[in-house]
Amino acid sequence: YEALSKYPDLFSVGVVLAGWLIGSEKTENLAKNKIVVYCGTADTSAKHCASDARSLKNVGVNLTLNELEGEGHLIQSRVYDGTDIIAWMIKQTR
């Protein structure tokens, strides 16, 4: 979120893994990109991941939330090995 907020014109899309808002993000800048968020439902480190994503979606950010049932904070390999997210990112354009 931080990079997308600060440099919205640099990216076509954003993928957030177990992330949450820290307060300095500009929602209007986040709305300039497609964002895909992955959260583990058993993640105690990023317990606000899903609620922050829902809040952003509610204010008009083009965001897709994927909640991974029973997963904790370390979801990188499940996302990158178990989905087509990399192929999807490559296909995106501005």
Side-chain angles (χ1 to χ4, degrees):
Y1 292 123
E2 187 77 17
L4 288 170
S5 175
K6 285 185 177 181
Y7 310 104
D9 297 324
L10 184 62
F11 302 99
S12 296
V13 298
V15 177
V16 176
L17 303 180
W20 63 94
L21 300 172
I22 59 173
S24 63
E25 295 83 357
K26 295 180 181 177
T27 303
E28 65 273 11
N29 284 352
L30 292 174
K32 294 180 180 183
N33 294 289
K34 297 176 191 173
I35 302 174
V36 178
V37 178
Y38 289 89
C39 303
T41 60
D43 187 349
T44 57
S45 298
K47 59 186 173 187
H48 301 291
C49 179
S51 62
D52 285 353
R54 285 188 201 94
S55 294
L56 288 171
K57 192 170 180 72
N58 287 340
V59 297
V61 173
N62 183 359
L63 186 146
T64 302
L65 172 61
N66 299 284
E67 294 186 78
L68 304 176
E69 190 64 40
E71 292 290 333
H73 192 65
L74 300 176
I75 58 174
Q76 295 86 340
S77 60
R78 170 135 184 230
V79 172
Y80 291 125
D81 295 339
T83 70
D84 64 349
I85 194 66
I86 293 174
W88 178 83
M89 286 189 291
I90 292 168
K91 290 179 186 176
Q92 302 307 305
T93 61
R94 231 179 230 287

